[in-house]
């Protein structure tokens, strides 16, 4: 009995140790990888733009920009006071009416204690020519108050504009300008739901980008597999200079993709590129310039550069798989009179299946999220002919500063990658995570 | 399939090596050409009759290239050291200890390593911006965790699994606690695996492009891949300097690959096959 209890205690201690050792890594992964993906999805539901101050953060509710408000309201108030003092009887009445409306609105804002408190702080900061703190600048309003504010401001602006038309004001442009300044201080919620997805999915550019990505992925991975398998089969033997060949294979893999892309850009150059010239000489392209300036040429160039960089890696993975096939199998087969081709299809391919699938999984996912290579080599051009979905998402986010729409595209990339992974994992079965078989680039 | 290699095989091999190395060879030859021979009639001549190191000098004089190299070294080194350290504990637990949910955790790690970077870039960008980490080393080290940590855990788990279990049993018999077993028995045996993992994580961090491109936009904080890619101006591309810079970053890489090729290959293919 005692022994059993101590065993149980030991197991428990091991479990606790296990969880506490895994915890730091797991928390980090949750914080820097999984949380951002969830947030990307959240962003994609908003009209979130960095270059538009009212949309540069996420607003679920109506809110008021106190800084903007207090940069206008006090001046509008004092200017109106002066106007009232000098206006004719009729106008005086209208102006007082406006004053009252504005005061009522101001009171309504300050009715809330917390808001009143922030109001004071922001006002003080502005009076001291400081910029107020980020967290007190914006206060939340309920929808009703926000609508009331908007309507009052609209009314006031209309009345003041009429007075300006009639020539009743001393400082017409200042008064109207200050009143109009109040228009932009209400921040509306920028929640748009699935609108970005709807827009993206009905945009021809997205489908073009998806097609480009799929075409690039399928063609480059297929070529890499065939070439890689061929190379692996050929170098799967003892020969002189093995180490040198292995080093040769590793160099394209190890060099930064951005640098290799730039290298190929030089080699493909329409006037001075040596590869472009050789391609023209052997008739692969009509003119040297066609490589990077025509749609077909650019796609071919990108795929060719990718094949150059990753075929060696594919060959390496497959070679490792080949080396585990016992040579006795081939000896037995040749004694039984099997041809080379039969040996290949009956022995090599079936035994290499899981190696091939693992290599294909990693390469397909890598190719599908391709960014560096295309960003540097073609920038997605010409005429978006090599624009992949990652490039498109990047452009929408950072060139158009449309974070909402860009995030929606990023989520679409994520979903595609998830679907591809699920298909492969179904094919691979549980092999991937089991104790004996696993691989990583 | 151990067969003797014939002469035809070596011809094929030479052709293969030539094809793979040709771009580097051409870049090397171009980097020592004078500017006038990079364009026009002489652009296609293999060898220049007036070799010069002007492009190399220009890379360091006209561009903050030394700074780029330093930035990349700092960011990649810190990323590697810290992620491998955190991963070593997690990987040990996953590979050697018994507790529920191990397979799920490993599956999660694998899934995260497949995340497309573009899917995390916008929240990460907003995060580093909010905390004033743009144009800083920390601004890259934190995001680099997204790919470096899963990669380290995944590789280390396969290395830890290869260490015989008998040793642990023996240590247990002698009354060692799990942590003592870890530091005294497992870790010394895992050193080669940790080293291999570090090389691969370092290369991945050194080569990273998208985070670096968006987060560190100031010249002072650019890393090598982004720095070189941004050599190209709006209308002109300084091919001489680009060639020289490419050669400069490739040479240490070639040395590293020659020195550690066995380790790198074992890391890349670790357990990709059933043994």
């Amino acid at each position: 009995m005692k022994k059993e209890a101590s065993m149980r205690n030991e197991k428990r201690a091991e479990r606790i140790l296990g969880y506490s050792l895994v915890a730091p890594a797991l928390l980090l992964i949750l914080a820097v990888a999984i949380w951002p993906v969830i947030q990307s999805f959240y962003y994609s539901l908003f009209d979130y733009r960095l270059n538009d101050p009212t949309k540069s953060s996420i607003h679920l509710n109506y809110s008021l920009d106190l800084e903007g408000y207090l940069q206008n309201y006090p001046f509008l108030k004092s200017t109106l006071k002066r106007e009232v003092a000098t206006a004719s009887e009729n106008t005086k009445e209208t102006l007082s009416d406006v004053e009252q409306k504005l005061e009522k609105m101001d009171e309504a804002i300050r009715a809330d204690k917390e808001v009143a408190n922030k109001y004071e702080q922001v006002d003080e900061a502005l009076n001291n020519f400081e910029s107020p703190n980020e967290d007190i600048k914006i206060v939340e309003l309920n929808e009703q108050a926000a609508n009331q504010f908007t309507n009052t401001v609209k009314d006031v602006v209309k009345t003041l504009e009429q007075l300006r038309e009639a020539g009743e004001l001393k400082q017409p442009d200042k008064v109207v300008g200050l009143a109009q300044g109040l228009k932009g201080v209400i921040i509306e919620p920028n929640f748009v739901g699935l609108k970005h997805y709807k827009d993206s999915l009905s945009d021809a550019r997205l489908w073009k980008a998806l097609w480009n990505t799929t075409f690039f992925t399928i063609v480059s991975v297929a070529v890499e597999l065939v070439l890689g398998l061929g190379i692996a089969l050929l170098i799967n033997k003892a020969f002189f200079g093995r180490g040198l060949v292995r080093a040769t294979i590793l160099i394209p893999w190890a060099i930064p993709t951005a640098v290799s892309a730039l290298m190929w850009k030089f080699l493909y150059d329409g006037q001075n590129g040596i590869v472009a010239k050789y391609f023209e000489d052997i008739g692969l392209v009509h003119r040297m310039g066609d490589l990077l300036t025509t749609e077909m040429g650019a796609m071919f160039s990108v795929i060719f550069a990718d094949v150059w960089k990753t075929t060696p890696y594919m060959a390496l993975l497959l070679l490792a798989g080949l080396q585990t096939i016992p040579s006795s199998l081939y000896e037995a087969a040749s004694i039984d009179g099997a041809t080379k081709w039969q040996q290949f299809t009956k022995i090599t391919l079936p035994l290499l299946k899981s190696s091939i699938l693992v290599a294909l999984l990693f390469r397909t996912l890598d190719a599908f999220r391709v960014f560096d290579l295309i960003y540097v080599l073609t920038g997605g051009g010409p005429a978006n002919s090599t624009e992949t979905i990652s490039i498109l998402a990047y452009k929408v986010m950072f060139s158009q500063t449309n974070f909402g729409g860009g995030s929606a595209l990023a989520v679409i990339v994520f979903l595609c990658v998830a679907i591809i992974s699920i298909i492969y994992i179904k094919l691979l079965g549980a092999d991937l995570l089991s104790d004996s078989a696993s691989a990583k680039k | 399939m151990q067969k003797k290699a014939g002469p035809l095989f070596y011809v094929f091999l030479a052709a293969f090596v030539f094809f793979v190395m040709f771009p580097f060879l051409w870049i090397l030859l171009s980097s020592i050409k004078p500017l006038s021979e990079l364009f026009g009639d002489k652009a296609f001549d293999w060898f220049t009759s007036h070799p010069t190191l002007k492009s190399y000098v220009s890379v360091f004089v006209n561009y903050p290239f030394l700074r780029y190299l330093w930035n990349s070294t700092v960011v990649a080194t810190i990323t590697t050291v810290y992620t491998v350290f955190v991963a070593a504990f997690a990987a040990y637990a996953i590979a050697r200890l018994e507790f529920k949910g191990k397979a799920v955790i490993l599956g999660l790690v694998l899934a995260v390593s497949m995340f497309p970077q573009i899917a995390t870039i916008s929240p990460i960008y907003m995060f580093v911006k909010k905390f004033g980490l743009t144009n800083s080393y920390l601004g890259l080290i934190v995001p680099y965790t997204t790919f470096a940590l899963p990669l380290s855990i995944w590789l280390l788990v396969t290395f830890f699994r290869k260490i015989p279990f008998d040793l642990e049993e023996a240590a247990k018999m002698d009354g060692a606690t799990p942590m003592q077993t870890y530091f005294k028995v497992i870790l010394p045996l895992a050193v080669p695996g940790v080293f291999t993992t570090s090389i691969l994580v370092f290369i991945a961090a050194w080569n990273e492009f998208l985070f670096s491109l968006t987060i560190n936009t100031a010249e002072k904080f650019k890393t090598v891949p982004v720095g070189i890619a941004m050599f190209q101006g709006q209308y002109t591309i300084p091919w001489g300097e680009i060639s020289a810079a490419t050669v400069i970053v490739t040479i240490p890489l070639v040395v590293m690959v020659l020195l550690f090729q066995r380790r790198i290959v074992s890391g890349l293919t670790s357990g990709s096959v059933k043994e």
Side-chain angles (χ1 to χ4, degrees), chain A residues 10-11 14-15 17-19 21-22 24-26 28-29 32-34 36-37 39-40 43 48 50 56 231 233-240 243-259 262-267 269 271-275 277-278 288 308 312-313 316-317 320-321 324 327 330 340 355 358 361-362 365 369 371-372 375-376 390 393-394 397-398 403 407 410 413-414 417 421 431-441, chain B residues 1-5 9-10 12-13 16-17 19-24 26-27 30 38-40 43-44 46 82 86 89-90 92-94 96-100 103 105-110 112-116 118-126 129 142 145-146 149-151 153-155 158 161 172 178-179 200 203 206-207 209-210 213-214 225 228-230 232 237 239 242-243 246 249-250 253-254 257-258 261-262 264-265 267-274:
Chain A
E10 215 170 81
K11 281 223 158 131
E14 187 173 326
R15 209 164 54 222
L17 181 72
Y19 288 126
L21 287 179
V22 170
L26 210 56
L28 268 171
I29 287 179
V32 299
I34 296 175
V37 170
Q39 251 182 325
S40 271
Y43 284 178
Y48 185 19
L50 290 191
S56 63
I231 292 164
L233 285 171
L234 274 162
I235 61 176
N236 183 27
K237 56 183 82 170
F239 63 86
F240 178 74
L244 187 75
V245 171
R246 194 158 52 188
T248 312
I249 279 179
L250 283 173
I251 291 169
W253 164 82
I255 191 171
T257 311
V259 174
L262 207 56
M263 209 159 76
W264 280 102
K265 195 171 177 171
F266 179 49
L267 300 173
D269 188 85
Q271 267 136 35
N272 315 300
I274 184 83
V275 170
K277 182 175 182 294
Y278 289 159
M288 276 172 69
W308 172 81
Y313 165 71
L316 218 55
L317 281 190
T324 60
S327 53
Y330 294 101
K340 285 264 176 233
S355 289
V358 170
L361 167 68
F362 288 120
L365 292 179
R369 52 193 174 178
F371 180 83
D372 317 7
Y375 183 84
V376 176
S390 289
Y394 175 83
M397 269 189 251
F398 292 97
F403 262 51
S407 296
V413 182
F414 181 82
V417 165
S421 315
D431 284 5
L432 204 58
L433 292 178
S434 70
D435 278 4
S436 55
S438 47
K440 183 59 200 135
K441 63 169 174 179
Chain B
M1 248 212 295
Q2 299 287 325
K3 287 173 296 185
K4 268 271 151 40
F9 171 78
Y10 285 104
F12 158 78
L13 210 60
F16 171 68
V17 170
F19 272 116
V20 172
M21 295 306 283
F22 175 75
F24 292 111
W26 189 258
I27 291 286
S30 298
L38 284 173
F39 309 98
F44 306 118
W46 278 64
Y82 121 85
V86 174
F89 292 105
Y92 170 70
I94 293 171
R96 313 295 285 199
L97 300 179
E98 270 317 316
F99 58 96
K100 260 191 203 140
I105 293 173
L106 195 58
L108 190 75
V109 168
L110 181 63
V112 168
S113 75
M114 293 174 187
F115 278 9
I118 197 87
T120 55
I121 187 85
S122 60
I124 285 180
Y125 177 74
M126 294 315 292
K129 222 177 119 185
V142 173
T145 314
T146 49
L149 191 58
L151 178 62
I153 295 177
W154 186 256
L155 289 170
T158 56
R161 275 177 181 163
K172 215 186 222 171
M179 280 325 268
L200 293 181
I203 291 179
W206 179 274
N207 292 357
F209 187 73
L210 181 58
L213 176 73
T214 47
I228 296 184
M230 296 297 146
Q232 37 184 334
I237 307 182
W239 288 126
I242 288 174
S243 304
T246 304
V249 296
T250 309
L253 220 68
V254 172
V257 162
L258 283 175
Q261 45 164 314
R262 268 173 201 288
I264 296 175
V265 172
L268 286 177
T269 59
S270 68
S272 75
V273 286
K274 288 203 169 172

Side-chain angles (χ1 to χ4, degrees), chain A residues 156-175:
Chain A
V156 168
V157 170
K158 210 170 134 198
T159 318
L160 292 174
E161 267 172 344
Q162 277 167 356
L163 289 174
R164 178 172 70 175
E165 294 290 298
E168 297 279 351
L169 296 172
K170 279 252 164 94
Q171 293 176 291
D173 289 335
K174 189 176 173 191
V175 176

Side-chain angles (χ1 to χ4, degrees), chain B residues 68-83:
Chain B
Y68 298 159
L69 286 169
W70 173 246
N71 293 342
S72 277
T73 311
V74 171
V75 171
T77 307
I78 298 178
T79 304
T80 307
V81 170
Y82 121 85
T83 51

Side-chain angles (χ1 to χ4, degrees), chain B:
Chain B
M1 248 212 295
Q2 299 287 325
K3 287 173 296 185
K4 268 271 151 40
L8 201 68
F9 171 78
Y10 285 104
V11 172
F12 158 78
L13 210 60
F16 171 68
V17 170
F18 177 77
F19 272 116
V20 172
M21 295 306 283
F22 175 75
F24 292 111
L25 192 63
W26 189 258
I27 291 286
L28 181 67
L29 292 171
S30 298
S31 70
I32 53 168
K33 283 182 180 173
L35 193 60
S36 60
E37 288 181 28
L38 284 173
F39 309 98
D41 302 339
K42 290 198 164 171
F44 306 118
D45 289 352
W46 278 64
F47 301 100
T48 172
S49 41
H50 310 282
T52 164
L53 291 177
K54 261 194 185 146
S55 296
Y56 288 89
V57 175
S58 172
V59 162
F60 289 102
V61 175
N62 299 329
Y63 299 89
F65 191 64
L66 212 56
R67 180 80 201 185
Y68 298 159
L69 286 169
W70 173 246
N71 293 342
S72 277
T73 311
V74 171
V75 171
T77 307
I78 298 178
T79 304
T80 307
V81 170
Y82 121 85
T83 51
V84 171
F85 180 79
V86 174
F89 292 105
Y92 170 70
I94 293 171
R96 313 295 285 199
L97 300 179
E98 270 317 316
F99 58 96
K100 260 191 203 140
K102 260 168 53 168
V104 176
I105 293 173
L106 195 58
L108 190 75
V109 168
L110 181 63
V112 168
S113 75
M114 293 174 187
F115 278 9
Q117 268 188 324
I118 197 87
T120 55
I121 187 85
S122 60
I124 285 180
Y125 177 74
M126 294 315 292
F127 170 84
V128 294
K129 222 177 119 185
K130 196 174 162 196
F131 288 92
L133 294 176
T134 48
N135 294 317
S136 73
Y137 293 140
L138 205 57
L140 289 187
I141 293 164
V142 173
Y144 282 10
T145 314
T146 49
F147 61 85
L149 191 58
L151 178 62
S152 318
I153 295 177
W154 186 256
L155 289 170
L156 285 172
V157 166
T158 56
F159 285 120
F160 278 133
R161 275 177 181 163
K162 284 184 190 149
I163 298 168
F165 274 88
D166 315 351
L167 291 170
E168 243 169 338
E169 294 295 323
K172 215 186 222 171
M173 287 294 184
D174 292 345
T177 66
M179 280 325 268
Q180 278 174 330
T181 317
Y182 176 64
F183 282 108
K184 297 261 162 77
V185 180
I186 305 291
L187 213 50
L189 288 171
V191 166
V194 171
F195 186 67
T196 302
T197 305
S198 303
I199 296 175
L200 293 181
V201 172
F202 184 88
I203 291 179
W206 179 274
N207 292 357
E208 201 284 332
F209 187 73
L210 181 58
F211 285 135
S212 180
L213 176 73
T214 47
I215 293 169
N216 282 5
T217 47
E219 279 298 325
K220 249 185 96 180
F221 286 100
K222 275 182 187 158
T223 57
V224 168
V226 176
I228 296 184
M230 296 297 146
F231 270 17
Q232 37 184 334
Q234 189 94 43
Y235 304 105
T236 56
I237 307 182
W239 288 126
E241 279 89 346
I242 288 174
S243 304
T246 304
V247 172
I248 295 167
V249 296
T250 309
I251 285 173
L253 220 68
V254 172
V255 173
M256 202 159 114
V257 162
L258 283 175
L259 284 179
F260 303 127
Q261 45 164 314
R262 268 173 201 288
R263 294 201 175 290
I264 296 175
V265 172
S266 83
L268 286 177
T269 59
S270 68
S272 75
V273 286
K274 288 203 169 172
E275 281 155 30

Side-chain angles (χ1 to χ4, degrees), chain A residues 10 30 134 142 148 155 163 166 173 195 252 261 284 310 326 422:
Chain A
E10 215 170 81
L30 280 176
E134 285 290 329
N142 60 37
Q148 222 158 28
D155 259 15
L163 289 174
D173 289 335
K195 181 171 176 293
L284 202 62
T310 48
I422 290 168

Side-chain angles (χ1 to χ4, degrees), chain A residues 81-136:
Chain A
K81 211 169 234 162
R82 258 176 279 142
E83 292 283 350
V84 170
T86 58
S88 63
E89 273 313 303
N90 253 350
T91 317
K92 203 172 250 177
E93 210 169 291
T94 326
L95 281 176
S96 307
D97 192 41
V98 167
E99 269 188 307
Q100 265 172 20
K101 266 189 196 162
L102 286 173
E103 251 158 54
K104 226 173 102 188
M105 178 184 86
D106 191 57
E107 267 164 35
I109 291 171
R110 280 189 292 179
D112 187 296
K113 235 186 193 163
E114 209 175 307
V115 175
N117 195 6
K118 287 181 180 170
Y119 186 107
E120 296 292 323
Q121 287 179 38
V122 173
D123 199 28
E124 203 184 307
L126 287 174
N127 282 337
N128 295 332
F129 301 102
E130 289 161 8
S131 72
N133 242 336
E134 285 290 329
D135 46 319
I136 57 167

